[in-house]
Amino acid sequence: MSDPVRLKGVAASMGVAVGTARVLAWGRRRISFRRITQGQVASEIDRFRAAVAASHAEIEVARQELAQQHGATYASILDAYLLMHGDALLIDATCDTIREENINAEWAVSRVAERLKAPLLRDGSSYFRERARDVDHVKEHLLRELCGEDRTELPGQGPVVLIAHDLTPADAVQMLAPPTVGLVTEVGGGSSHTAILARTFGVPAVVGVGSVPIEIEDDQDVVVDGFGGQVIIGASRRERSQAEARRDRFLAFLDAERDRSAVTLDGTSISVAANMELPSELEAALASGADGIGLYRTEFMCLNRPEPPSEDEQLDIYRTIAAALAPSKVIFRTFDWRRDKRPAGFDMGEDQAGWLRTQIKAVLRASEWGHVALMFPMVATVRELLDAKILVEQCRSELGERGAPCASLQVGMMVEVPSAALMAEGFARHADFFAVGTNDLAHYTLAVDRHGNQASAGANPLDPAVLRLLERTVRAAGDAGIPCSMCGDMAAHPLALSLALGLGYREISVPIRLLPLARAVVRSVDIELAGPLAHDALSCESAEDVRLLVTDRMGEGFDPAWIRQEAV
Ligand code: PEP
Ligand code: MG
C-alpha cells in the first residue's frame, strides 16, 4: 500500500470527517481523442444527444430533490445548468464540431467548452470565473454520460469526502448533503461562500490545500480535520479510528452543550443569535434556542438564478421564518451581490435597483408576521445609508398605496467596510443597529482577496488593525445607544470570541450548529479579565502576538474541554 498523502489547508468548517474519497473530476479528467469516419458522424451525434438528454434528466432529478429539501426558490440554482443543455453555443456547436471535424463527442464537447470558457476566464473577475465553472459543470455531466459512468457505482452510499478543485456555492448547496460528510478543495478561502455553506450544513471542510495529486482515486479513505486544516488521503486504520473518536467527541460536546446558557463567569448575559442561509435551517434554528436570527443571508436564494424571486415568492419565505421565530427578532439582510453570490448573466446596474425595491417591499410586508428588521450590507458612506433609508420609506408608501399592511421595522447596517468602522459615530446617528461583518472587515482592512486562494487565510480578524476597528464600532454604538452585534465568523471562533466579549460585544450571531460552542466559550470567559486583555491586544503588533497574549492570559479559564482535546 502506498504512503498516505498529507495535505494542509485552511480549516474552513469545524469538526472531523472520515469517509471515502469522491474526487470531482473537473479539470482532472483525461479523455481520449478519436477520429471518426463520415459514415459514423450521425451515430456520434445521436450518442451525444442521448448523453444530453440523460444528463438533463439527472439534473432535473437533483432539482426536484433540492426543491423538496430547501424549497422551490432554492432549487432554481440548477436552472442555469438545465438551460445550458439546450444552449446553441454549447450543444449545437458540439454537434457542428463532430460533423465538421470528424471527431468523437467527448473531444468535441471538451473543445467547445474550452472555447466558451476562454473569454470568461480572460475577464479575470471571479463573477466570470464562476460562469466558466458553470460551463465545466455541464461539460462534466455530459462527459460522465458519454463515458458511461454509472454514478451509483461511485462511493455514494457510505460517508463521502468530496475532493474538488473548487465548488461554486450552487454546487455546494447541491452536494454538501448526505452522504457527503467532508469537503476538501484545492483553492478557496475560509470565508468564501462555499465555506459558509459547509458550516451551514455542518460539513467539516479544509480549503485551499493546493494541488491534490492526480493519483488520488475515488475509493481511498480520507480524514478531514476541520479544526487544524489537515487532510490525510489513504489514512491508516489507526488514523481513521483516532479521527472517528475525535469526531464523536466534538459531536457529543455540541450535543451536551445544546441547552446551556450564555452567561459569562461574572454573570453577564450574552445574546447568541443564529446566522441562516436557507429556509431548510428553520427547524434547526428553532431547536437551537437561538436568540433570534442575527443575519439571514438572502442572496443565497439568487444563486445561479437569472433574476431574484418575485416579491410574493420572497414574502412567502420571509414571513414563514418571521412567524416561526416570533417574538424573537429576524434580521433580513438585503441581497449582498458581490462576486460568487451574484445572479447569473445579469448586468447589475439598473436591474439591481429594481430588485432591491422588490426585496424591501417583501421584507416590509413580512414585518406584519413577526419581529423583523432590515439590514443593508457593504455600506461605505453615510450618504449610502441615508439613501437606503429613503428607499425604505418610498417602498413603504408604495405599499401603503397598494393597501398592503406593514409594521414598523428597524433599519440597520452591516459594519464590514473599514470606512464604516472609522466613521461609526456618524453612522450610529442614523442606523437603528449595527451588525459587524468581520469576514469582509478583515479582508478589506488587510487587503486580502476574500475569494482568492490560500492567501485568504491571511485576513486574520485577530490583527490589531481589525481589533481597533471593532472596538471603535462597538464604542460608537454604545455611545449612541444602538445595538451592535457581531455576525461574522470571528464570533464563532473561541479565541476571537473571548476578545470580542472583552471589547464590549454583548450580542453575537453564529452558524446554527456552532451555537452550543459559542455559548460554552461565553461561559468560560470572565469579562473582568477579558476587558483589560482585549484593550492590551489593541497595542500588539501582529495577530500572532494577540493570539499568544490571549492564550497566555486566559489560560485554563478560557479553554473549554473540547479545545484541549481537539486542537491540533
Ligand atoms: C461578513 O462579512 O462578516 C458577513 C457576515 O457577511 P458575509 O460573510 O455574508 O459577507
Ligand atoms: Mg460581508
Side-chain angles (χ1 to χ4, degrees), residues 18 48 66 76 121 145-146 156-157 175 180 193 197 222 244 253 289 329 363 365 447 449 465 476 487 512 523 560:
V18 182
F48 177 63
L66 273 188
S76 45
L121 293 173
E145 296 297 341
L146 285 167
Q157 302 312 314
M175 293 179 186
T180 299
H193 294 92
L197 285 170
V222 187
E244 278 161 0
F253 163 82
K329 183 159 74 179
V363 175
R365 286 172 66 193
D449 178 6
C487 60
I512 294 171
R523 283 198 311 281

Side-chain angles (χ1 to χ4, degrees), residues 83 113 115 211 336 436 507 522 533:
L83 276 175
R115 269 205 302 261
S211 293
D336 185 4
V436 180
E507 296 180 26
V522 166
L533 167 69

Side-chain angles (χ1 to χ4, degrees), residues 333 336 338 416 440 450:
R333 181 177 73 184
D336 185 4
R338 288 160 305 127
E416 54 183 345
D440 279 308
R450 178 167 171 175

Side-chain angles (χ1 to χ4, degrees), residues 316-491:
D316 227 33
I317 292 169
Y318 301 152
R319 95 175 140 205
T320 305
I321 293 163
L325 279 142
S328 298
K329 183 159 74 179
V330 180
I331 301 178
F332 291 107
R333 181 177 73 184
T334 58
F335 300 130
D336 185 4
W337 278 320
R338 288 160 305 127
R339 300 179 177 256
D340 60 347
K341 294 191 285 189
R342 284 184 196 171
F346 264 74
D347 167 14
M348 297 305 294
E350 282 179 20
D351 291 318
Q352 195 173 356
W355 291 340
L356 186 55
R357 298 176 89 89
T358 301
Q359 181 175 37
I360 292 172
K361 287 182 204 161
V363 175
L364 283 169
R365 286 172 66 193
S367 65
E368 276 282 290
W369 299 78
H371 185 175
V372 169
L374 180 66
M375 174 159 75
F376 290 93
M378 301 306 288
V379 180
T381 65
V382 175
R383 186 70 255 161
E384 284 170 10
L385 176 63
L386 295 177
D387 285 347
K389 288 181 71 173
I390 291 170
L391 195 58
V392 175
E393 284 321 304
Q394 286 171 352
C395 291
R396 185 187 291 285
S397 58
E398 279 173 38
L399 286 174
E401 284 161 23
R402 272 164 45 185
C406 47
S408 67
L409 97 188
Q410 293 180 321
V411 179
M413 59 179 273
M414 298 280 299
V415 176
E416 54 183 345
V417 183
S419 62
L422 287 167
M423 294 287 290
E425 298 82 2
F427 283 100
R429 282 196 282 276
H430 305 285
D432 292 330
F433 63 89
F434 286 162
V436 180
T438 52
N439 306 338
D440 279 308
L441 190 62
H443 284 81
Y444 283 109
T445 303
L446 300 169
V448 177
D449 178 6
R450 178 167 171 175
H451 302 277
N453 294 347
Q454 295 95 313
S456 298
N460 191 334
L462 295 185
D463 192 284
V466 181
L467 296 182
R468 286 180 190 213
L469 294 176
L470 294 178
E471 192 276 332
R472 191 176 183 123
T473 304
V474 74
R475 182 159 39 86
D479 290 347
I482 62 167
C484 178
S485 75
M486 177 181 283
C487 60
D489 290 332
M490 182 173 168

Side-chain angles (χ1 to χ4, degrees), residues 302-313:
C302 302
L303 295 175
N304 271 16
R305 281 178 74 112
E307 59 180 81
S310 68
E311 183 183 316
D312 283 346
E313 205 176 341

